[in-house]
Amino acid sequence: MRTRGTGPRVKEKVRAARSLGALAKKLKRQGKRIVFTNGCFDLLHAGHVRYLEDARRLGDCLIVGLNTDASVRRLKGPGRPVSPEKDRAAVIAALASVDYVALFGDDTPRALIRLIEPDVLVKGADWNAKDIVGSDLVAGYGGKVKTIPFLKGRSTTALIKKIAKTAQSNRDRQDHRR
């Protein structure tokens, strides 16, 4: 996928799922440990950055599965995502901790996990490890499933609510001045 206005390194990091499957196999043959996580990453915040840095420390290569716009809408409802998938992919790919990004349109990343066969599958600590989508696949071939604590007080939903509240407050002040 070509992302407009981004550097060549970002463009190289956003890949089709099929090519990442082949790349992951090649990296594993070289002895590299592949880490996989996924999410919507709608409005990137400090919690996301720290989470991805912590995930990257668990291996040699971090692959992020990113929900497409249609998938985010099904999971989060109308009005989401706030940022379109190409922008979200470019922002996530620009992080030093992220090696590759692949978009997926299903509600879960199960097919992507099956294709990549990560050594480590990572989700936030709000998930019970056995309930993480794909944990059975990863455990079945000897991989590990890890959870990472979130940075307290950071959430996309809370950020969206704060932005909406601030916008409403500004509108109210403007109406009051008239």
PDB file of all heavy atoms in Angstrom, residues 36 42-43 50 53 63-64 71 85 94-95 100 109 122 133 146 155:
ATOM      1  N   PHE A  36       3.392 -10.431  17.518  1.00  0.00           N
ATOM      2  CA  PHE A  36       2.207  -9.904  16.826  1.00  0.00           C
ATOM      3  C   PHE A  36       1.232  -9.324  17.832  1.00  0.00           C
ATOM      4  O   PHE A  36       0.981  -9.907  18.891  1.00  0.00           O
ATOM      5  CB  PHE A  36       1.500 -11.016  16.038  1.00  0.00           C
ATOM      6  CG  PHE A  36       0.232 -10.556  15.369  1.00  0.00           C
ATOM      7  CD1 PHE A  36       0.274  -9.962  14.118  1.00  0.00           C
ATOM      8  CD2 PHE A  36      -0.999 -10.697  15.997  1.00  0.00           C
ATOM      9  CE1 PHE A  36      -0.894  -9.525  13.507  1.00  0.00           C
ATOM     10  CE2 PHE A  36      -2.168 -10.255  15.396  1.00  0.00           C
ATOM     11  CZ  PHE A  36      -2.109  -9.675  14.139  1.00  0.00           C
ATOM     12  N   ASP A  42      -7.079   4.030  16.707  1.00  0.00           N
ATOM     13  CA  ASP A  42      -7.801   5.101  16.032  1.00  0.00           C
ATOM     14  C   ASP A  42      -7.156   6.468  16.249  1.00  0.00           C
ATOM     15  O   ASP A  42      -6.814   7.141  15.294  1.00  0.00           O
ATOM     16  CB  ASP A  42      -9.259   5.105  16.493  1.00  0.00           C
ATOM     17  CG  ASP A  42     -10.155   5.917  15.590  1.00  0.00           C
ATOM     18  OD1 ASP A  42      -9.665   6.470  14.591  1.00  0.00           O
ATOM     19  OD2 ASP A  42     -11.362   6.003  15.878  1.00  0.00           O
ATOM     20  N   LEU A  43      -7.009   6.891  17.474  1.00  0.00           N
ATOM     21  CA  LEU A  43      -6.282   8.128  17.782  1.00  0.00           C
ATOM     22  C   LEU A  43      -5.087   7.719  18.624  1.00  0.00           C
ATOM     23  O   LEU A  43      -5.240   7.322  19.772  1.00  0.00           O
ATOM     24  CB  LEU A  43      -7.163   9.106  18.569  1.00  0.00           C
ATOM     25  CG  LEU A  43      -8.350   9.713  17.835  1.00  0.00           C
ATOM     26  CD1 LEU A  43      -9.150  10.612  18.768  1.00  0.00           C
ATOM     27  CD2 LEU A  43      -7.901  10.491  16.616  1.00  0.00           C
ATOM     28  N   ARG A  50       3.493   3.297  24.398  1.00  0.00           N
ATOM     29  CA  ARG A  50       4.168   2.463  25.395  1.00  0.00           C
ATOM     30  C   ARG A  50       3.829   0.990  25.213  1.00  0.00           C
ATOM     31  O   ARG A  50       4.698   0.118  25.311  1.00  0.00           O
ATOM     32  CB  ARG A  50       3.814   2.901  26.819  1.00  0.00           C
ATOM     33  CG  ARG A  50       4.774   2.201  27.805  1.00  0.00           C
ATOM     34  CD  ARG A  50       4.523   2.535  29.212  1.00  0.00           C
ATOM     35  NE  ARG A  50       3.652   1.476  29.724  1.00  0.00           N
ATOM     36  CZ  ARG A  50       3.022   1.523  30.858  1.00  0.00           C
ATOM     37  NH1 ARG A  50       3.107   2.576  31.623  1.00  0.00           N
ATOM     38  NH2 ARG A  50       2.278   0.535  31.260  1.00  0.00           N
ATOM     39  N   GLU A  53       5.867  -0.340  22.342  1.00  0.00           N
ATOM     40  CA  GLU A  53       7.275  -0.466  22.743  1.00  0.00           C
ATOM     41  C   GLU A  53       7.479  -1.695  23.621  1.00  0.00           C
ATOM     42  O   GLU A  53       8.453  -2.441  23.450  1.00  0.00           O
ATOM     43  CB  GLU A  53       7.731   0.797  23.477  1.00  0.00           C
ATOM     44  CG  GLU A  53       7.915   1.993  22.573  1.00  0.00           C
ATOM     45  CD  GLU A  53       8.220   3.278  23.323  1.00  0.00           C
ATOM     46  OE1 GLU A  53       8.030   3.340  24.567  1.00  0.00           O
ATOM     47  OE2 GLU A  53       8.644   4.240  22.655  1.00  0.00           O
ATOM     48  N   ILE A  63       4.989  -7.119  14.416  1.00  0.00           N
ATOM     49  CA  ILE A  63       4.003  -6.954  13.349  1.00  0.00           C
ATOM     50  C   ILE A  63       2.690  -6.546  14.002  1.00  0.00           C
ATOM     51  O   ILE A  63       2.224  -7.202  14.942  1.00  0.00           O
ATOM     52  CB  ILE A  63       3.823  -8.256  12.545  1.00  0.00           C
ATOM     53  CG1 ILE A  63       5.144  -8.635  11.860  1.00  0.00           C
ATOM     54  CG2 ILE A  63       2.693  -8.097  11.522  1.00  0.00           C
ATOM     55  CD1 ILE A  63       5.119  -9.984  11.162  1.00  0.00           C
ATOM     56  N   VAL A  64       2.097  -5.468  13.492  1.00  0.00           N
ATOM     57  CA  VAL A  64       0.830  -4.972  14.022  1.00  0.00           C
ATOM     58  C   VAL A  64      -0.267  -5.214  12.995  1.00  0.00           C
ATOM     59  O   VAL A  64      -0.166  -4.750  11.851  1.00  0.00           O
ATOM     60  CB  VAL A  64       0.909  -3.465  14.355  1.00  0.00           C
ATOM     61  CG1 VAL A  64      -0.444  -2.946  14.832  1.00  0.00           C
ATOM     62  CG2 VAL A  64       1.979  -3.209  15.416  1.00  0.00           C
ATOM     63  N   SER A  71     -14.083  -2.698   9.482  1.00  0.00           N
ATOM     64  CA  SER A  71     -13.982  -3.535  10.681  1.00  0.00           C
ATOM     65  C   SER A  71     -14.143  -2.696  11.948  1.00  0.00           C
ATOM     66  O   SER A  71     -14.850  -3.086  12.881  1.00  0.00           O
ATOM     67  CB  SER A  71     -12.632  -4.257  10.672  1.00  0.00           C
ATOM     68  OG  SER A  71     -12.440  -4.994  11.851  1.00  0.00           O
ATOM     69  N   GLU A  85      -8.062   4.415   7.665  1.00  0.00           N
ATOM     70  CA  GLU A  85      -7.092   3.316   7.783  1.00  0.00           C
ATOM     71  C   GLU A  85      -5.715   3.637   7.213  1.00  0.00           C
ATOM     72  O   GLU A  85      -4.705   3.252   7.794  1.00  0.00           O
ATOM     73  CB  GLU A  85      -7.639   2.027   7.162  1.00  0.00           C
ATOM     74  CG  GLU A  85      -7.915   2.101   5.697  1.00  0.00           C
ATOM     75  CD  GLU A  85      -8.724   0.927   5.171  1.00  0.00           C
ATOM     76  OE1 GLU A  85      -9.689   0.483   5.822  1.00  0.00           O
ATOM     77  OE2 GLU A  85      -8.381   0.461   4.066  1.00  0.00           O
ATOM     78  N   ALA A  94       5.163   4.524  11.383  1.00  0.00           N
ATOM     79  CA  ALA A  94       6.211   5.515  11.654  1.00  0.00           C
ATOM     80  C   ALA A  94       6.879   5.316  13.009  1.00  0.00           C
ATOM     81  O   ALA A  94       7.951   5.863  13.256  1.00  0.00           O
ATOM     82  CB  ALA A  94       5.629   6.930  11.562  1.00  0.00           C
ATOM     83  N   LEU A  95       6.276   4.524  13.873  1.00  0.00           N
ATOM     84  CA  LEU A  95       6.864   4.279  15.194  1.00  0.00           C
ATOM     85  C   LEU A  95       8.084   3.367  15.069  1.00  0.00           C
ATOM     86  O   LEU A  95       8.048   2.348  14.373  1.00  0.00           O
ATOM     87  CB  LEU A  95       5.838   3.642  16.131  1.00  0.00           C
ATOM     88  CG  LEU A  95       4.603   4.488  16.449  1.00  0.00           C
ATOM     89  CD1 LEU A  95       3.599   3.679  17.266  1.00  0.00           C
ATOM     90  CD2 LEU A  95       4.998   5.753  17.190  1.00  0.00           C
ATOM     91  N   TYR A 100       6.400  -3.862  11.019  1.00  0.00           N
ATOM     92  CA  TYR A 100       5.474  -4.006   9.890  1.00  0.00           C
ATOM     93  C   TYR A 100       4.039  -3.842  10.362  1.00  0.00           C
ATOM     94  O   TYR A 100       3.709  -4.146  11.506  1.00  0.00           O
ATOM     95  CB  TYR A 100       5.637  -5.383   9.221  1.00  0.00           C
ATOM     96  CG  TYR A 100       7.013  -5.587   8.654  1.00  0.00           C
ATOM     97  CD1 TYR A 100       7.955  -6.345   9.333  1.00  0.00           C
ATOM     98  CD2 TYR A 100       7.385  -4.991   7.451  1.00  0.00           C
ATOM     99  CE1 TYR A 100       9.235  -6.508   8.834  1.00  0.00           C
ATOM    100  CE2 TYR A 100       8.665  -5.149   6.942  1.00  0.00           C
ATOM    101  CZ  TYR A 100       9.581  -5.904   7.643  1.00  0.00           C
ATOM    102  OH  TYR A 100      10.847  -6.053   7.144  1.00  0.00           O
ATOM    103  N   PRO A 109      -8.346 -10.903  14.149  1.00  0.00           N
ATOM    104  CA  PRO A 109      -7.139 -11.126  13.342  1.00  0.00           C
ATOM    105  C   PRO A 109      -6.777 -12.606  13.187  1.00  0.00           C
ATOM    106  O   PRO A 109      -5.644 -12.926  12.831  1.00  0.00           O
ATOM    107  CB  PRO A 109      -6.073 -10.387  14.154  1.00  0.00           C
ATOM    108  CG  PRO A 109      -6.508 -10.612  15.570  1.00  0.00           C
ATOM    109  CD  PRO A 109      -8.023 -10.529  15.522  1.00  0.00           C
ATOM    110  N   VAL A 122       0.453 -10.857  21.552  1.00  0.00           N
ATOM    111  CA  VAL A 122       0.337  -9.884  22.641  1.00  0.00           C
ATOM    112  C   VAL A 122      -0.983  -9.135  22.559  1.00  0.00           C
ATOM    113  O   VAL A 122      -1.415  -8.731  21.478  1.00  0.00           O
ATOM    114  CB  VAL A 122       1.490  -8.856  22.573  1.00  0.00           C
ATOM    115  CG1 VAL A 122       1.371  -7.829  23.683  1.00  0.00           C
ATOM    116  CG2 VAL A 122       2.838  -9.536  22.623  1.00  0.00           C
ATOM    117  N   VAL A 133      -8.020 -13.856  20.928  1.00  0.00           N
ATOM    118  CA  VAL A 133      -8.223 -14.490  19.628  1.00  0.00           C
ATOM    119  C   VAL A 133      -6.879 -14.973  19.089  1.00  0.00           C
ATOM    120  O   VAL A 133      -5.910 -14.209  19.051  1.00  0.00           O
ATOM    121  CB  VAL A 133      -8.878 -13.499  18.634  1.00  0.00           C
ATOM    122  CG1 VAL A 133      -8.874 -14.073  17.229  1.00  0.00           C
ATOM    123  CG2 VAL A 133     -10.287 -13.154  19.078  1.00  0.00           C
ATOM    124  N   LYS A 146       1.096 -13.328  25.656  1.00  0.00           N
ATOM    125  CA  LYS A 146       1.436 -12.398  26.737  1.00  0.00           C
ATOM    126  C   LYS A 146       0.424 -11.263  26.785  1.00  0.00           C
ATOM    127  O   LYS A 146      -0.132 -10.877  25.761  1.00  0.00           O
ATOM    128  CB  LYS A 146       2.822 -11.786  26.501  1.00  0.00           C
ATOM    129  CG  LYS A 146       3.951 -12.771  26.388  1.00  0.00           C
ATOM    130  CD  LYS A 146       4.452 -13.154  27.733  1.00  0.00           C
ATOM    131  CE  LYS A 146       5.712 -13.997  27.597  1.00  0.00           C
ATOM    132  NZ  LYS A 146       6.254 -14.390  28.843  1.00  0.00           N
ATOM    133  N   SER A 155      -7.011   6.325  26.903  1.00  0.00           N
ATOM    134  CA  SER A 155      -7.918   5.550  26.074  1.00  0.00           C
ATOM    135  C   SER A 155      -8.431   6.416  24.931  1.00  0.00           C
ATOM    136  O   SER A 155      -8.648   7.617  25.102  1.00  0.00           O
ATOM    137  CB  SER A 155      -9.075   5.001  26.916  1.00  0.00           C
ATOM    138  OG  SER A 155     -10.300   5.580  26.637  1.00  0.00           O
TER     139      SER A 155
END
